[in-house]
């Protein structure tokens, strides 16, 4: 029995490690923004206009900060470390590392790409507060904390977009 339980736990742990993303901490936000700007081939603000069951989705590009301007771009979720927008995530800031003609274009969950609806940066120590507790008053306090955190994250996103506009105009 002990051997079977040990084997099961080892298998589950190995599976989680195999499926997990190996994101490196981005460090300081300003450094991460500059590094992601320099290392991205395309950066844009866009609106999700199509979500398909095969993991593909399409953006209408509203503003290009770096790279060749285009009206639309189709991307694909290819693995657990690539992003797939949900129906309620309409507007995004997107960083694309590479554009290859023969491979699907992905948004890495390890980068700075994020929706306006969920603007938290998971790899910059910007995690949202934990889920609300069952006590009603504590849940209210938790909702206030989550609201404050989202507001702060939106302000960071706005400042980042302004910085991207500045870097674009300097070129």
């Amino acid at each position: 029995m002990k051997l079977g339980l040990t084997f099961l736990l080892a298998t589950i742990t190995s599976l989680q490690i195999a499926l997990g993303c190996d994101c490196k901490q981005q460090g300081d936000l300003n450094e991460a923004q500059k590094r992601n700007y320099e290392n991205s081939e395309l950066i844009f603000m866009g609106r999700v206009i199509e979500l398909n069951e095969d993991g593909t989705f399409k953006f209408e590009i509203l503003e290009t900060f770096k790279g060749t301007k285009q009206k639309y771009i189709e991307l694909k979720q290819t693995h657990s470390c690539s992003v797939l927008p949900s129906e309620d995530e309409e507007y995004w800031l997107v960083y694309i590392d590479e554009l290859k003609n023969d491979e699907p274009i992905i948004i890495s969950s390890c980068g700075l790409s994020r929706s306006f609806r969920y603007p938290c940066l998971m790899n910059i120590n910007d995690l949202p507060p934990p889920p609300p507790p069952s006590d009603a008053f504590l849940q209210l306090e938790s909702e206030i904390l989550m609201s404050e955190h989202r507001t702060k994250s939106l302000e960071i996103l706005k400042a980042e977009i302004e910085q991207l506009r500045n870097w674009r105009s300097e070129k």
Side-chain angles (χ1 to χ4, degrees), residues 2 52 58 74 81 86 90 111 118-119 123 127 144 154 156:
K2 270 187 174 179
N52 302 307
K58 190 174 191 177
E74 187 170 301
C81 294
S86 63
E90 187 175 13
Y118 304 106
N123 53 350
L127 297 174
I144 290 169
L154 285 168
I156 291 169

Side-chain angles (χ1 to χ4, degrees), residues 13-26 77-84 106-111 122-123:
T13 302
S14 299
L15 185 61
Q16 286 177 333
I17 291 170
L19 295 176
C21 301
D22 186 20
C23 299
K24 295 181 175 86
Q25 285 287 1
Q26 296 267 352
Q77 181 191 36
T78 58
H79 50 76
S80 63
C81 294
S82 57
V83 173
L84 178 64
I106 66 163
I107 301 174
S108 171
S109 61
C110 293
M122 298 302 181
N123 53 350

Side-chain angles (χ1 to χ4, degrees), residues 106-122:
I106 66 163
I107 301 174
S108 171
S109 61
C110 293
L112 297 181
S113 297
R114 60 207 185 271
S115 73
F116 289 18
R117 184 164 191 92
Y118 304 106
C120 302
L121 291 164
M122 298 302 181

